[in-house]
Amino acid sequence: MEEKKTIIIRDEVVVNAAPATCFIYCCLCFAFAASFFGILGEGAGLAVGVLQLSVFVGYTIGAMYILKTGAGVGGNTFFVFATLFGGAGGALSVAGALCQHFGIPFASNLGNIVNIVSGGILWVILYANRVASKTDFFIILFAAMGVSACGLQGFVAPELMGKIAGVTLLIDGIIVFYSSSIGFLGMSGVKVNYGKPFVNPDKK
């Protein structure tokens, strides 16, 4: 008599890591804004750079979990944030501050070039987010403006670009805090509206 085998199939549950990953970005937004407004004082570059490096691992893990949920645009966006603004940005900020202190030549404008290119891809990502919630759309909008201004600051109108970067990243930090908060509330069953997309995903 043939032995019957029982196959048990368990559905894999992938928890949405977007609220936590958003909160990491929220903290960076406020830190950058404070730096541009001159609130942090001397050593701001080094302090912000250390903060960027310290969130790199958590940022990357969050991006991977978001990708596992099937959110391709969101996951890739956070992966860009993790590597360029967390890892590369933090390393360049720390190295630049240390080299300046010890009098070692350092091409700090390299970071500005990365931010200009990153700002460019964020404008592309913004267009992709026309089918996402309004909250996500405005997060990317102000991120694109802020990062672009950060990059241009090293080449064009430093004072003006610094103010634009500070204001836009402060606004972005507030929006991201809202997004992160309603994400956590949603996990407990409290539904808050993210805002309908500008374009219906089914009619894009």
Side-chain angles (χ1 to χ4, degrees):
M1 184 175 180
E2 186 178 348
E3 183 181 353
K4 292 183 179 180
K5 295 182 180 179
T6 301
I7 300 175
I8 299 175
I9 300 175
R10 291 190 178 92
D11 293 330
E12 183 181 3
V13 178
V14 181
V15 178
N16 182 14
T21 313
C22 276
F23 184 71
I24 294 173
Y25 175 60
C26 168
C27 292
L28 288 177
C29 283
F30 287 127
F32 273 110
S35 179
F36 282 117
F37 291 145
I39 297 174
L40 302 180
E42 188 177 356
L46 180 59
V48 173
V50 171
L51 175 63
Q52 287 176 278
L53 286 176
S54 67
V55 302
F56 170 68
V57 175
Y59 226 149
T60 304
I61 293 173
M64 294 300 98
Y65 269 89
I66 294 171
L67 283 170
K68 288 184 71 175
T69 66
V73 174
N76 277 283
T77 302
F78 278 118
F79 196 37
V80 168
F81 281 20
T83 53
L84 294 181
F85 307 145
L92 286 170
S93 296
V94 171
L98 292 176
C99 287
Q100 184 179 16
H101 178 75
F102 291 108
I104 302 171
F106 186 80
S108 58
N109 278 354
L110 178 61
N112 296 118
I113 294 172
V114 171
N115 281 332
I116 290 173
V117 178
S118 299
I121 197 62
L122 282 173
W123 289 107
V124 176
I125 293 172
L126 177 67
Y127 179 73
N129 271 271
R130 73 196 188 284
V131 297
S133 69
K134 284 187 173 67
T135 300
D136 290 340
F137 182 88
F138 283 114
I139 286 173
I140 300 301
L141 172 63
F142 285 101
M145 290 192 289
V147 172
S148 297
C150 285
L152 292 172
Q153 185 190 27
F155 302 100
V156 181
E159 187 174 345
L160 174 62
M161 290 299 165
K163 289 180 179 178
I164 292 174
V167 171
T168 52
L169 290 176
L170 175 61
I171 295 172
D172 209 27
I174 294 170
I175 299 172
V176 176
F177 185 87
Y178 170 78
S179 176
S180 180
S181 298
I182 62 179
F184 280 114
L185 290 172
M187 291 178 178
S188 68
V190 179
K191 301 299 180 183
V192 183
N193 191 1
Y194 282 91
K196 293 181 178 180
F198 286 105
V199 176
N200 189 326
D202 298 326
K203 299 179 179 180
K204 59 184 177 180

